[in-house]
């Protein structure tokens, strides 16, 4: 039985040779497709299902494509367009991960976010970006 799965894996590897595979855009498409599918179930609107299927077809088309240059250009474009959003998500994640040990303040002068360890009482914070100082209780 093991031999069967080994042969299948070999066949799949042969099939994927020279093909583009997955990238950041595929991962984003997969998430969007999944959300669209859930929306179609929740609302019963077939437009969401059609979009989900279209997204899935597009994902597979990209994965099996042999046009490496075109696919990586798409991926670069996606990365450029989503850079701001992905940075914001990264900041939110960092904030969420550190929520037990840190408090976060916005500098009143430049808006830079400042991370301060919790439990220090009333302190004066110096903004690392513009150097202005402000008082907070942590
Ligand atoms: Zn500042």
């Amino acid at each position: 039985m093991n031999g069967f799965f080994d042969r299948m894996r070999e066949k799949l590897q042969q099939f994927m040779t020279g093909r583009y595979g997955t990238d950041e855009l595929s991962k984003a498409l997969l998430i969007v497709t999944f959300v669209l599918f859930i929306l179609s179930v929740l609302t019963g609107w077939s437009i969401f299902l059609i979009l989900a299927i279209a997204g899935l077809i597009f994902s597979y088309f990209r994965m099996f494509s042999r046009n490496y240059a075109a696919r990586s250009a798409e991926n670069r474009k996606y990365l450029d367009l989503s850079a701001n959003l992905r940075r914001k998500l990264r900041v939110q994640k960092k904030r969420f991960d550190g929520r037990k040990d840190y408090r976060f303040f916005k500098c009143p002068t430049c808006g830079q976010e400042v991370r301060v360890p919790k439990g220090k009482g009333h302190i004066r914070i110096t903004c690392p970006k513009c150097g202005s100082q402000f008082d907070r209780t942590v």
Side-chain angles (χ1 to χ4, degrees), residues 1-13:
M1 213 53 204
N2 239 344
F4 173 75
F5 287 112
D6 285 342
R7 276 205 305 278
M8 287 298 281
R9 195 180 311 125
E10 212 171 280
K11 280 259 191 293
L12 187 69
Q13 271 167 3

Side-chain angles (χ1 to χ4, degrees), residues 104-123:
F104 296 83
F105 299 104
K106 257 204 167 102
C107 167
T109 310
C110 70
Q112 167 72 36
E113 189 152 274
V114 185
R115 190 181 74 169
V116 185
K118 271 186 180 174
K120 297 263 176 186
H122 195 75
I123 53 162

Side-chain angles (χ1 to χ4, degrees), residues 7-98:
R7 276 205 305 278
M8 287 298 281
R9 195 180 311 125
E10 212 171 280
K11 280 259 191 293
L12 187 69
Q13 271 167 3
Q14 274 169 17
F15 179 72
M16 288 307 288
T17 301
R19 293 179 196 267
Y20 184 68
T22 57
D23 58 12
E24 289 85 352
L25 178 55
S26 331
K27 284 176 207 156
L29 273 171
L30 203 68
I31 292 167
V32 170
T33 305
F34 183 70
V35 170
L36 285 168
F37 181 71
I38 296 294
L39 282 174
S40 84
V41 171
L42 291 178
T43 62
W45 293 2
S46 49
I47 182 70
F48 289 126
L49 188 61
I50 292 165
L51 288 172
I53 292 168
L56 210 61
I57 291 169
F58 184 54
S59 299
Y60 277 104
F61 158 75
R62 292 190 73 253
M63 225 157 78
F64 298 143
S65 170
R66 292 182 189 277
N67 190 345
Y68 202 92
R71 299 296 82 78
S72 57
E74 285 164 6
N75 189 47
R76 248 193 328 277
K77 198 165 189 181
Y78 156 73
L79 289 176
D80 282 352
L81 288 172
S82 64
N84 265 334
L85 182 70
R86 283 181 300 111
R87 187 169 45 74
K88 275 182 193 150
L89 286 175
R90 235 183 351 260
V91 168
Q92 285 304 320
K93 189 187 179 302
K94 206 172 156 190
R95 236 178 129 136
F96 185 77
D97 289 346

